Amino acid sequence: MLIRGRRNRVSEGIRSLVREHHLQVSDLIMPLFICEGINKKSEITSMPGIFRLSSELIVEECRYLYSLGIPGVVLFPAIDDTKKDKTATESWNPDGLYLKTIRAIKAAVPELVIITDVALDPYSSDGHDGFVSDEGEILNDETLPLLAKMSVAQARAGADIVAPSDMMDGRVEVIRQALDENGFTNVGILAYSAKYASAFYGPFRDALDSAPKKGDKKTYQMDPANVREALREVNLDISEGADMVMVKPGLPYLDVLRAVSEISDVPVAVYNVSGEYAMLRAAAQNGWLDYKKVVLESLTAFKRAGADMILTYHARETAEWMKK
Ligand code: PBG
């Protein structure tokens, strides 16, 4: 035999020399859930190890994540039902939970990249990402000014990057214009471009109590069967001024990630979502999988498929493992 593939796998030294993709702490973004209250910490039942934290605990957590080398966080608020309405008014209340917490993080850890979520659902009495008509339709163009207002309020509070996760058409352009008109030309846009109507978001909706009151999200989020459509969405968002694009969920959509990374001329993010986290945790708790090994293998798969950055609930633990 002239050729033996195994020669390049003979020792860890050789394997490390021929390794094609490398996972680094600097690739990771940690999603965090913020709740009302003082010194409040409550575990999300379907996401063991992940907590809703009140403002001052979030600030401490951000300090710690930054000390581990994690460059950024993405923030989601759990809003009291009494503050929800049809137009998500609470989202631009400067004294509301979300904007207050952003200001506190920025003051305490200014170098940490704060990525904010732009969509109506955490603040919406309908539990949808867009404005819902009396007939139950999710209205696209009526939603755009609300998203623009929310983005500007987040930028004013200290967001470095706003991330529209709503999947309305034309929102990137409207947000870019609003940010620029208000002097936030350096605030970036990470567009959730290829976001699928996925059942893997279940635990996230438990965490925020943000599930749709009626219907589903299929008229705005993408059909899991499509990939060509993802490329169209990515190209549109780039042409509207997106600085980065995203594919979401992650593991069941690695083919989409690969296809997007091949055509995108801006950096590509992937969101390893709540349901993916829950699966590995649950299997590990049953003793069925080696948690650390499956996490590192999964995150490496994202790099191999072309991701530049990974939003993952495993970020904190992974950074701790990699520090040792
Ligand atoms: C909503 C939003 C969702 C997630 C991030 N932003 C849920 C949804 O679209 O219903 C899901 C993230 C996860 O499951 O971890 N704008």
Side-chain angles (χ1 to χ4, degrees), residues 32-37 53-62 73-79 93-109 112 114 116 123 153-154 157-159:
L32 296 173
F33 298 111
I34 314 168
C35 66
E36 299 276 6
L53 301 172
S54 56
S55 277
E56 67 306 322
L57 295 182
I58 285 276
V59 172
E60 282 324 298
E61 179 67 8
C62 285
V73 292
V74 57
L75 305 171
F76 299 100
I79 301 291
N93 170 12
D95 301 316
L97 173 69
Y98 197 61
L99 301 181
K100 211 175 54 187
T101 307
I102 293 169
R103 288 196 300 273
I105 299 169
K106 227 344 122 193
V109 209
L112 183 71
I114 298 182
T116 51
Y123 319 90
Q154 293 170 348

mmCIF file of all heavy atoms in Angstrom, residues 32-37 53-62 73-79 93-109 112 114 116 123 153-154 157-159:
data_model
loop_
_atom_site.group_PDB
_atom_site.id
_atom_site.type_symbol
_atom_site.label_atom_id
_atom_site.label_comp_id
_atom_site.label_asym_id
_atom_site.label_seq_id
_atom_site.Cartn_x
_atom_site.Cartn_y
_atom_site.Cartn_z
ATOM 1 N N LEU A 32 -27.775 35.521 27.058
ATOM 2 C CA LEU A 32 -28.150 35.682 28.472
ATOM 3 C C LEU A 32 -29.599 36.128 28.590
ATOM 4 O O LEU A 32 -30.080 36.938 27.786
ATOM 5 C CB LEU A 32 -27.250 36.734 29.136
ATOM 6 C CG LEU A 32 -25.749 36.426 29.248
ATOM 7 C CD1 LEU A 32 -25.007 37.655 29.767
ATOM 8 C CD2 LEU A 32 -25.508 35.217 30.151
ATOM 9 N N PHE A 33 -30.278 35.612 29.621
ATOM 10 C CA PHE A 33 -31.680 35.968 29.875
ATOM 11 C C PHE A 33 -31.770 36.875 31.100
ATOM 12 O O PHE A 33 -31.310 36.505 32.185
ATOM 13 C CB PHE A 33 -32.510 34.706 30.123
ATOM 14 C CG PHE A 33 -32.540 33.762 28.952
ATOM 15 C CD1 PHE A 33 -31.902 32.530 29.004
ATOM 16 C CD2 PHE A 33 -33.210 34.123 27.782
ATOM 17 C CE1 PHE A 33 -31.932 31.663 27.911
ATOM 18 C CE2 PHE A 33 -33.243 33.260 26.686
ATOM 19 C CZ PHE A 33 -32.598 32.025 26.752
ATOM 20 N N ILE A 34 -32.377 38.037 30.917
ATOM 21 C CA ILE A 34 -32.481 39.016 32.002
ATOM 22 C C ILE A 34 -33.894 38.990 32.579
ATOM 23 O O ILE A 34 -34.874 38.959 31.834
ATOM 24 C CB ILE A 34 -32.236 40.452 31.472
ATOM 25 C CG1 ILE A 34 -30.999 40.481 30.556
ATOM 26 C CG2 ILE A 34 -32.096 41.441 32.609
ATOM 27 C CD1 ILE A 34 -30.868 41.773 29.774
ATOM 28 N N CYS A 35 -33.990 39.015 33.929
ATOM 29 C CA CYS A 35 -35.320 39.097 34.550
ATOM 30 C C CYS A 35 -35.377 40.244 35.560
ATOM 31 O O CYS A 35 -34.346 40.755 35.987
ATOM 32 C CB CYS A 35 -35.696 37.771 35.211
ATOM 33 S SG CYS A 35 -34.674 37.344 36.624
ATOM 34 N N GLU A 36 -36.602 40.620 35.927
ATOM 35 C CA GLU A 36 -36.825 41.670 36.933
ATOM 36 C C GLU A 36 -36.390 41.156 38.310
ATOM 37 O O GLU A 36 -36.270 39.955 38.521
ATOM 38 C CB GLU A 36 -38.323 42.017 37.022
ATOM 39 C CG GLU A 36 -38.937 42.552 35.750
ATOM 40 C CD GLU A 36 -38.739 44.055 35.567
ATOM 41 O OE1 GLU A 36 -38.022 44.688 36.384
ATOM 42 O OE2 GLU A 36 -39.295 44.585 34.580
ATOM 43 N N GLY A 37 -36.208 42.095 39.244
ATOM 44 C CA GLY A 37 -35.930 41.712 40.625
ATOM 45 C C GLY A 37 -34.513 42.047 41.038
ATOM 46 O O GLY A 37 -33.728 42.581 40.253
ATOM 47 N N LEU A 53 -31.327 35.890 35.035
ATOM 48 C CA LEU A 53 -30.639 36.637 36.088
ATOM 49 C C LEU A 53 -31.155 38.067 36.121
ATOM 50 O O LEU A 53 -31.420 38.666 35.076
ATOM 51 C CB LEU A 53 -29.129 36.668 35.811
ATOM 52 C CG LEU A 53 -28.392 35.333 35.705
ATOM 53 C CD1 LEU A 53 -26.947 35.556 35.240
ATOM 54 C CD2 LEU A 53 -28.412 34.594 37.036
ATOM 55 N N SER A 54 -31.275 38.625 37.329
ATOM 56 C CA SER A 54 -31.652 40.032 37.425
ATOM 57 C C SER A 54 -30.438 40.905 37.091
ATOM 58 O O SER A 54 -29.300 40.421 37.055
ATOM 59 C CB SER A 54 -32.216 40.341 38.805
ATOM 60 O OG SER A 54 -31.295 39.979 39.801
ATOM 61 N N SER A 55 -30.700 42.198 36.861
ATOM 62 C CA SER A 55 -29.695 43.106 36.293
ATOM 63 C C SER A 55 -28.300 43.022 36.895
ATOM 64 O O SER A 55 -27.312 42.860 36.179
ATOM 65 C CB SER A 55 -30.169 44.552 36.415
ATOM 66 O OG SER A 55 -31.015 44.823 35.349
ATOM 67 N N GLU A 56 -28.220 43.154 38.245
ATOM 68 C CA GLU A 56 -26.864 43.234 38.830
ATOM 69 C C GLU A 56 -26.140 41.891 38.726
ATOM 70 O O GLU A 56 -24.911 41.855 38.601
ATOM 71 C CB GLU A 56 -26.880 43.834 40.253
ATOM 72 C CG GLU A 56 -27.547 43.053 41.381
ATOM 73 C CD GLU A 56 -28.987 42.637 41.111
ATOM 74 O OE1 GLU A 56 -29.759 43.402 40.495
ATOM 75 O OE2 GLU A 56 -29.344 41.536 41.517
ATOM 76 N N LEU A 57 -26.898 40.787 38.692
ATOM 77 C CA LEU A 57 -26.251 39.481 38.492
ATOM 78 C C LEU A 57 -25.780 39.321 37.045
ATOM 79 O O LEU A 57 -24.750 38.688 36.774
ATOM 80 C CB LEU A 57 -27.200 38.337 38.873
ATOM 81 C CG LEU A 57 -27.591 38.259 40.357
ATOM 82 C CD1 LEU A 57 -28.486 37.045 40.607
ATOM 83 C CD2 LEU A 57 -26.356 38.175 41.257
ATOM 84 N N ILE A 58 -26.537 39.914 36.126
ATOM 85 C CA ILE A 58 -26.126 39.889 34.710
ATOM 86 C C ILE A 58 -24.810 40.643 34.545
ATOM 87 O O ILE A 58 -23.900 40.191 33.835
ATOM 88 C CB ILE A 58 -27.212 40.528 33.803
ATOM 89 C CG1 ILE A 58 -28.392 39.573 33.643
ATOM 90 C CG2 ILE A 58 -26.638 40.929 32.454
ATOM 91 C CD1 ILE A 58 -28.252 38.518 32.571
ATOM 92 N N VAL A 59 -24.686 41.774 35.221
ATOM 93 C CA VAL A 59 -23.451 42.561 35.126
ATOM 94 C C VAL A 59 -22.266 41.734 35.633
ATOM 95 O O VAL A 59 -21.217 41.660 34.989
ATOM 96 C CB VAL A 59 -23.575 43.896 35.896
ATOM 97 C CG1 VAL A 59 -22.235 44.609 35.965
ATOM 98 C CG2 VAL A 59 -24.624 44.789 35.229
ATOM 99 N N GLU A 60 -22.456 41.057 36.777
ATOM 100 C CA GLU A 60 -21.390 40.190 37.313
ATOM 101 C C GLU A 60 -21.039 39.074 36.334
ATOM 102 O O GLU A 60 -19.870 38.746 36.113
ATOM 103 C CB GLU A 60 -21.835 39.566 38.654
ATOM 104 C CG GLU A 60 -21.735 40.524 39.829
ATOM 105 C CD GLU A 60 -20.524 41.446 39.723
ATOM 106 O OE1 GLU A 60 -19.386 40.920 39.724
ATOM 107 O OE2 GLU A 60 -20.701 42.678 39.600
ATOM 108 N N GLU A 61 -22.085 38.491 35.768
ATOM 109 C CA GLU A 61 -21.879 37.405 34.798
ATOM 110 C C GLU A 61 -21.090 37.917 33.590
ATOM 111 O O GLU A 61 -20.183 37.241 33.095
ATOM 112 C CB GLU A 61 -23.253 36.845 34.373
ATOM 113 C CG GLU A 61 -23.215 35.724 33.359
ATOM 114 C CD GLU A 61 -22.595 34.424 33.889
ATOM 115 O OE1 GLU A 61 -22.322 34.333 35.104
ATOM 116 O OE2 GLU A 61 -22.358 33.519 33.068
ATOM 117 N N CYS A 62 -21.407 39.115 33.143
ATOM 118 C CA CYS A 62 -20.711 39.691 31.984
ATOM 119 C C CYS A 62 -19.232 39.918 32.283
ATOM 120 O O CYS A 62 -18.369 39.666 31.451
ATOM 121 C CB CYS A 62 -21.373 40.994 31.548
ATOM 122 S SG CYS A 62 -22.919 40.698 30.673
ATOM 123 N N VAL A 73 -21.833 39.095 24.168
ATOM 124 C CA VAL A 73 -23.053 38.473 24.698
ATOM 125 C C VAL A 73 -24.245 38.944 23.855
ATOM 126 O O VAL A 73 -24.201 40.009 23.258
ATOM 127 C CB VAL A 73 -23.308 38.861 26.179
ATOM 128 C CG1 VAL A 73 -22.247 38.253 27.088
ATOM 129 C CG2 VAL A 73 -23.373 40.377 26.370
ATOM 130 N N VAL A 74 -25.274 38.112 23.818
ATOM 131 C CA VAL A 74 -26.528 38.521 23.190
ATOM 132 C C VAL A 74 -27.601 38.448 24.269
ATOM 133 O O VAL A 74 -27.669 37.473 25.016
ATOM 134 C CB VAL A 74 -26.834 37.688 21.924
ATOM 135 C CG1 VAL A 74 -26.894 36.207 22.200
ATOM 136 C CG2 VAL A 74 -28.118 38.143 21.255
ATOM 137 N N LEU A 75 -28.371 39.515 24.408
ATOM 138 C CA LEU A 75 -29.251 39.672 25.567
ATOM 139 C C LEU A 75 -30.729 39.526 25.207
ATOM 140 O O LEU A 75 -31.179 40.065 24.187
ATOM 141 C CB LEU A 75 -29.046 41.063 26.181
ATOM 142 C CG LEU A 75 -27.612 41.426 26.575
ATOM 143 C CD1 LEU A 75 -27.523 42.901 26.949
ATOM 144 C CD2 LEU A 75 -27.140 40.544 27.724
ATOM 145 N N PHE A 76 -31.459 38.818 26.088
ATOM 146 C CA PHE A 76 -32.906 38.647 25.909
ATOM 147 C C PHE A 76 -33.613 38.951 27.232
ATOM 148 O O PHE A 76 -33.191 38.455 28.278
ATOM 149 C CB PHE A 76 -33.224 37.209 25.488
ATOM 150 C CG PHE A 76 -32.593 36.815 24.183
ATOM 151 C CD1 PHE A 76 -31.432 36.056 24.160
ATOM 152 C CD2 PHE A 76 -33.158 37.207 22.973
ATOM 153 C CE1 PHE A 76 -30.831 35.693 22.958
ATOM 154 C CE2 PHE A 76 -32.566 36.852 21.763
ATOM 155 C CZ PHE A 76 -31.408 36.088 21.757
ATOM 156 N N PRO A 77 -34.699 39.732 27.197
ATOM 157 C CA PRO A 77 -35.395 40.072 28.439
ATOM 158 C C PRO A 77 -36.645 39.225 28.680
ATOM 159 O O PRO A 77 -37.396 38.921 27.755
ATOM 160 C CB PRO A 77 -35.821 41.516 28.160
ATOM 161 C CG PRO A 77 -36.102 41.547 26.692
ATOM 162 C CD PRO A 77 -35.244 40.483 26.042
ATOM 163 N N ALA A 78 -36.870 38.858 29.943
ATOM 164 C CA ALA A 78 -38.136 38.231 30.337
ATOM 165 C C ALA A 78 -38.999 39.349 30.921
ATOM 166 O O ALA A 78 -38.748 39.814 32.033
ATOM 167 C CB ALA A 78 -37.895 37.132 31.362
ATOM 168 N N ILE A 79 -39.982 39.778 30.152
ATOM 169 C CA ILE A 79 -40.791 40.947 30.513
ATOM 170 C C ILE A 79 -42.078 40.500 31.210
ATOM 171 O O ILE A 79 -42.707 39.513 30.801
ATOM 172 C CB ILE A 79 -41.128 41.765 29.238
ATOM 173 C CG1 ILE A 79 -39.837 42.227 28.531
ATOM 174 C CG2 ILE A 79 -42.054 42.938 29.529
ATOM 175 C CD1 ILE A 79 -39.029 43.262 29.254
ATOM 176 N N ASN A 93 -38.712 51.871 26.344
ATOM 177 C CA ASN A 93 -38.778 52.581 27.616
ATOM 178 C C ASN A 93 -37.357 52.649 28.213
ATOM 179 O O ASN A 93 -36.812 51.618 28.625
ATOM 180 C CB ASN A 93 -39.733 51.826 28.559
ATOM 181 C CG ASN A 93 -39.687 52.344 29.984
ATOM 182 O OD1 ASN A 93 -39.117 53.417 30.248
ATOM 183 N ND2 ASN A 93 -40.274 51.584 30.898
ATOM 184 N N PRO A 94 -36.756 53.848 28.291
ATOM 185 C CA PRO A 94 -35.363 53.930 28.738
ATOM 186 C C PRO A 94 -35.176 53.416 30.164
ATOM 187 O O PRO A 94 -34.078 53.001 30.533
ATOM 188 C CB PRO A 94 -35.020 55.427 28.630
ATOM 189 C CG PRO A 94 -36.319 56.143 28.464
ATOM 190 C CD PRO A 94 -37.329 55.165 27.944
ATOM 191 N N ASP A 95 -36.245 53.417 30.973
ATOM 192 C CA ASP A 95 -36.129 52.921 32.346
ATOM 193 C C ASP A 95 -36.596 51.470 32.474
ATOM 194 O O ASP A 95 -36.691 50.932 33.574
ATOM 195 C CB ASP A 95 -36.925 53.817 33.303
ATOM 196 C CG ASP A 95 -36.423 55.254 33.248
ATOM 197 O OD1 ASP A 95 -35.180 55.433 33.247
ATOM 198 O OD2 ASP A 95 -37.245 56.180 33.164
ATOM 199 N N GLY A 96 -36.900 50.858 31.328
ATOM 200 C CA GLY A 96 -37.332 49.455 31.341
ATOM 201 C C GLY A 96 -36.151 48.527 31.616
ATOM 202 O O GLY A 96 -34.986 48.933 31.540
ATOM 203 N N LEU A 97 -36.479 47.279 31.930
ATOM 204 C CA LEU A 97 -35.479 46.281 32.327
ATOM 205 C C LEU A 97 -34.326 46.158 31.331
ATOM 206 O O LEU A 97 -33.143 46.162 31.703
ATOM 207 C CB LEU A 97 -36.199 44.926 32.474
ATOM 208 C CG LEU A 97 -35.338 43.704 32.728
ATOM 209 C CD1 LEU A 97 -34.727 43.781 34.115
ATOM 210 C CD2 LEU A 97 -36.163 42.419 32.578
ATOM 211 N N TYR A 98 -34.667 46.070 30.061
ATOM 212 C CA TYR A 98 -33.651 45.752 29.041
ATOM 213 C C TYR A 98 -32.640 46.883 28.872
ATOM 214 O O TYR A 98 -31.436 46.674 28.966
ATOM 215 C CB TYR A 98 -34.365 45.463 27.723
ATOM 216 C CG TYR A 98 -33.526 44.730 26.689
ATOM 217 C CD1 TYR A 98 -33.022 43.462 26.951
ATOM 218 C CD2 TYR A 98 -33.270 45.291 25.444
ATOM 219 C CE1 TYR A 98 -32.281 42.774 25.997
ATOM 220 C CE2 TYR A 98 -32.534 44.605 24.480
ATOM 221 C CZ TYR A 98 -32.045 43.347 24.759
ATOM 222 O OH TYR A 98 -31.319 42.670 23.811
ATOM 223 N N LEU A 99 -33.137 48.091 28.626
ATOM 224 C CA LEU A 99 -32.236 49.212 28.328
ATOM 225 C C LEU A 99 -31.412 49.595 29.555
ATOM 226 O O LEU A 99 -30.232 49.928 29.450
ATOM 227 C CB LEU A 99 -33.033 50.401 27.779
ATOM 228 C CG LEU A 99 -33.825 50.094 26.495
ATOM 229 C CD1 LEU A 99 -34.575 51.328 26.009
ATOM 230 C CD2 LEU A 99 -32.926 49.555 25.384
ATOM 231 N N LYS A 100 -32.039 49.500 30.725
ATOM 232 C CA LYS A 100 -31.345 49.772 31.989
ATOM 233 C C LYS A 100 -30.155 48.803 32.160
ATOM 234 O O LYS A 100 -29.050 49.206 32.529
ATOM 235 C CB LYS A 100 -32.360 49.526 33.116
ATOM 236 C CG LYS A 100 -32.217 50.364 34.355
ATOM 237 C CD LYS A 100 -33.377 50.080 35.323
ATOM 238 C CE LYS A 100 -33.505 48.579 35.635
ATOM 239 N NZ LYS A 100 -34.700 48.232 36.421
ATOM 240 N N THR A 101 -30.414 47.539 31.862
ATOM 241 C CA THR A 101 -29.364 46.526 32.027
ATOM 242 C C THR A 101 -28.229 46.736 31.023
ATOM 243 O O THR A 101 -27.049 46.580 31.362
ATOM 244 C CB THR A 101 -29.957 45.108 31.878
ATOM 245 O OG1 THR A 101 -31.064 44.992 32.767
ATOM 246 C CG2 THR A 101 -28.942 44.036 32.190
ATOM 247 N N ILE A 102 -28.577 47.112 29.806
ATOM 248 C CA ILE A 102 -27.538 47.379 28.790
ATOM 249 C C ILE A 102 -26.620 48.497 29.280
ATOM 250 O O ILE A 102 -25.389 48.387 29.199
ATOM 251 C CB ILE A 102 -28.176 47.770 27.439
ATOM 252 C CG1 ILE A 102 -28.932 46.575 26.857
ATOM 253 C CG2 ILE A 102 -27.125 48.287 26.459
ATOM 254 C CD1 ILE A 102 -29.803 46.925 25.663
ATOM 255 N N ARG A 103 -27.217 49.571 29.811
ATOM 256 C CA ARG A 103 -26.394 50.694 30.306
ATOM 257 C C ARG A 103 -25.467 50.228 31.438
ATOM 258 O O ARG A 103 -24.294 50.602 31.486
ATOM 259 C CB ARG A 103 -27.284 51.848 30.791
ATOM 260 C CG ARG A 103 -27.982 52.604 29.665
ATOM 261 C CD ARG A 103 -28.519 53.964 30.138
ATOM 262 N NE ARG A 103 -29.491 53.861 31.212
ATOM 263 C CZ ARG A 103 -30.804 53.694 31.031
ATOM 264 N NH1 ARG A 103 -31.316 53.636 29.804
ATOM 265 N NH2 ARG A 103 -31.619 53.611 32.063
ATOM 266 N N ALA A 104 -25.993 49.387 32.308
ATOM 267 C CA ALA A 104 -25.183 48.904 33.441
ATOM 268 C C ALA A 104 -24.024 48.029 32.963
ATOM 269 O O ALA A 104 -22.895 48.134 33.454
ATOM 270 C CB ALA A 104 -26.071 48.136 34.416
ATOM 271 N N ILE A 105 -24.274 47.173 31.978
ATOM 272 C CA ILE A 105 -23.189 46.314 31.460
ATOM 273 C C ILE A 105 -22.131 47.179 30.780
ATOM 274 O O ILE A 105 -20.928 47.001 31.001
ATOM 275 C CB ILE A 105 -23.726 45.269 30.449
ATOM 276 C CG1 ILE A 105 -24.752 44.341 31.103
ATOM 277 C CG2 ILE A 105 -22.579 44.453 29.863
ATOM 278 C CD1 ILE A 105 -25.504 43.465 30.104
ATOM 279 N N LYS A 106 -22.582 48.119 29.957
ATOM 280 C CA LYS A 106 -21.640 48.974 29.215
ATOM 281 C C LYS A 106 -20.741 49.749 30.184
ATOM 282 O O LYS A 106 -19.543 49.907 29.943
ATOM 283 C CB LYS A 106 -22.426 49.947 28.343
ATOM 284 C CG LYS A 106 -22.052 50.168 26.904
ATOM 285 C CD LYS A 106 -20.733 49.741 26.400
ATOM 286 C CE LYS A 106 -20.789 48.784 25.255
ATOM 287 N NZ LYS A 106 -19.620 48.086 24.865
ATOM 288 N N ALA A 107 -21.337 50.206 31.290
ATOM 289 C CA ALA A 107 -20.556 50.978 32.261
ATOM 290 C C ALA A 107 -19.527 50.082 32.966
ATOM 291 O O ALA A 107 -18.401 50.495 33.228
ATOM 292 C CB ALA A 107 -21.491 51.615 33.288
ATOM 293 N N ALA A 108 -19.911 48.823 33.242
ATOM 294 C CA ALA A 108 -19.044 47.933 34.023
ATOM 295 C C ALA A 108 -17.983 47.231 33.173
ATOM 296 O O ALA A 108 -16.852 47.038 33.613
ATOM 297 C CB ALA A 108 -19.900 46.891 34.743
ATOM 298 N N VAL A 109 -18.359 46.806 31.970
ATOM 299 C CA VAL A 109 -17.442 46.039 31.101
ATOM 300 C C VAL A 109 -17.481 46.634 29.694
ATOM 301 O O VAL A 109 -18.000 46.011 28.759
ATOM 302 C CB VAL A 109 -17.848 44.542 31.008
ATOM 303 C CG1 VAL A 109 -16.634 43.655 30.766
ATOM 304 C CG2 VAL A 109 -18.605 44.067 32.233
ATOM 305 N N LEU A 112 -16.747 44.543 26.397
ATOM 306 C CA LEU A 112 -17.576 43.397 26.004
ATOM 307 C C LEU A 112 -18.567 43.849 24.924
ATOM 308 O O LEU A 112 -19.239 44.868 25.082
ATOM 309 C CB LEU A 112 -18.342 42.882 27.233
ATOM 310 C CG LEU A 112 -19.193 41.642 27.027
ATOM 311 C CD1 LEU A 112 -18.314 40.397 26.847
ATOM 312 C CD2 LEU A 112 -20.136 41.424 28.222
ATOM 313 N N ILE A 114 -21.833 44.091 23.159
ATOM 314 C CA ILE A 114 -23.231 43.855 23.508
ATOM 315 C C ILE A 114 -24.059 43.758 22.226
ATOM 316 O O ILE A 114 -24.114 44.688 21.433
ATOM 317 C CB ILE A 114 -23.804 44.988 24.392
ATOM 318 C CG1 ILE A 114 -23.034 45.060 25.722
ATOM 319 C CG2 ILE A 114 -25.295 44.776 24.640
ATOM 320 C CD1 ILE A 114 -23.559 46.127 26.671
ATOM 321 N N THR A 116 -27.842 43.149 20.817
ATOM 322 C CA THR A 116 -29.221 43.204 21.301
ATOM 323 C C THR A 116 -30.160 42.519 20.320
ATOM 324 O O THR A 116 -29.864 42.416 19.121
ATOM 325 C CB THR A 116 -29.669 44.656 21.505
ATOM 326 O OG1 THR A 116 -29.380 45.400 20.316
ATOM 327 C CG2 THR A 116 -28.958 45.283 22.681
ATOM 328 N N TYR A 123 -41.912 41.522 24.208
ATOM 329 C CA TYR A 123 -42.710 42.645 24.727
ATOM 330 C C TYR A 123 -44.141 42.629 24.194
ATOM 331 O O TYR A 123 -44.917 43.535 24.454
ATOM 332 C CB TYR A 123 -42.095 43.983 24.298
ATOM 333 C CG TYR A 123 -40.597 44.040 24.368
ATOM 334 C CD1 TYR A 123 -39.812 43.684 23.270
ATOM 335 C CD2 TYR A 123 -39.954 44.465 25.534
ATOM 336 C CE1 TYR A 123 -38.427 43.752 23.326
ATOM 337 C CE2 TYR A 123 -38.576 44.535 25.595
ATOM 338 C CZ TYR A 123 -37.817 44.171 24.491
ATOM 339 O OH TYR A 123 -36.455 44.231 24.549
ATOM 340 N N ALA A 153 -33.236 52.907 20.305
ATOM 341 C CA ALA A 153 -33.235 52.942 21.773
ATOM 342 C C ALA A 153 -32.132 52.033 22.326
ATOM 343 O O ALA A 153 -31.447 52.381 23.294
ATOM 344 C CB ALA A 153 -34.602 52.510 22.305
ATOM 345 N N GLN A 154 -31.931 50.889 21.692
ATOM 346 C CA GLN A 154 -30.880 49.960 22.144
ATOM 347 C C GLN A 154 -29.492 50.545 21.898
ATOM 348 O O GLN A 154 -28.595 50.438 22.741
ATOM 349 C CB GLN A 154 -31.033 48.603 21.437
ATOM 350 C CG GLN A 154 -32.308 47.868 21.850
ATOM 351 C CD GLN A 154 -32.590 46.644 20.991
ATOM 352 O OE1 GLN A 154 -31.971 46.449 19.941
ATOM 353 N NE2 GLN A 154 -33.538 45.823 21.419
ATOM 354 N N ALA A 157 -28.702 53.095 24.428
ATOM 355 C CA ALA A 157 -28.370 52.501 25.736
ATOM 356 C C ALA A 157 -26.964 51.906 25.755
ATOM 357 O O ALA A 157 -26.416 51.639 26.821
ATOM 358 C CB ALA A 157 -29.409 51.432 26.089
ATOM 359 N N GLY A 158 -26.379 51.680 24.570
ATOM 360 C CA GLY A 158 -25.000 51.165 24.554
ATOM 361 C C GLY A 158 -24.779 49.897 23.754
ATOM 362 O O GLY A 158 -23.695 49.307 23.824
ATOM 363 N N ALA A 159 -25.775 49.471 22.973
ATOM 364 C CA ALA A 159 -25.579 48.276 22.138
ATOM 365 C C ALA A 159 -24.479 48.540 21.111
ATOM 366 O O ALA A 159 -24.421 49.616 20.516
ATOM 367 C CB ALA A 159 -26.879 47.929 21.413
#
